[in-house]
Amino acid sequence: MALKEKHLGDGESVVLSIRTHWKALAGPIALALFLLALLWAVWWFTRDLSYGNWVTIAGAVLAAVIAAWFVLVPILRWSTERYVITNRRLSHRSGILTKIGRDIPLHRINDIGIEKGVLDRILGCGTLIVSDATDKAGMELHDVPRVEDVQVQLQNLLFAGDDGSDDGEWPPNEPRRARGRG
């Protein structure tokens, strides 16, 4: 569920829209392959028995229930989760039936960090940790592909809008100062 054009403000444009890394699908796909192999083994060992077809059908039903919960649901979650960076905000959207979203205006971001474990380094992904200037906890974006490139793009957007003040914007009635002067 990405941001649609109608959900953008006037003058706002999408800079980057990414989905979580495919590594989130490795476990569900491995489970699906295991269930198929297990089902084949049940068929193989019971094919000559008089009740073999019933055992195979029962195994298939059980495998389908397990696959629906532990394979299909994670794949649907992966397909509906999006991280979107616009020229004004950072947005996280997810949800299959219940849609969940959180936005942080770029001028509120005060820290950007990354975490990359060994597997993340091998696969080229990581966690982007964004802290903002509110009472609410920051945002952790897990399994971000090319996380360092995303961090650089986000920092470029932050510094492009920097007016030289401490918090990124001057009080409403104070005149803007020239850059580099304090």
Side-chain angles (χ1 to χ4, degrees), residues 37-83:
L38 191 61
L39 188 58
W40 179 84
V42 167
W43 170 80
W44 179 261
F45 290 115
T46 62
R47 70 181 191 271
D48 294 332
L49 300 174
S50 62
Y51 55 87
N53 286 340
W54 291 109
V55 172
T56 303
I57 290 170
V61 168
L62 183 60
V65 169
I66 292 170
W69 190 257
F70 294 103
V71 176
L72 186 61
V73 170
I75 289 172
L76 287 173
R77 279 192 188 124
W78 176 82
S79 69
T80 60
E81 187 165 15
R82 283 271 200 224
Y83 306 133

Side-chain angles (χ1 to χ4, degrees), residues 1-61:
M1 170 178 89
L3 288 176
K4 297 178 181 162
E5 193 70 34
K6 67 181 180 179
H7 297 136
L8 299 176
D10 292 337
E12 186 176 20
S13 61
V14 173
V15 175
L16 187 63
S17 177
I18 53 178
R19 180 181 308 246
T20 57
H21 195 269
W22 61 264
K23 91 170 190 178
L25 297 177
I29 290 172
L31 177 62
L33 293 174
F34 174 75
L35 289 172
L36 286 173
L38 191 61
L39 188 58
W40 179 84
V42 167
W43 170 80
W44 179 261
F45 290 115
T46 62
R47 70 181 191 271
D48 294 332
L49 300 174
S50 62
Y51 55 87
N53 286 340
W54 291 109
V55 172
T56 303
I57 290 170
V61 168

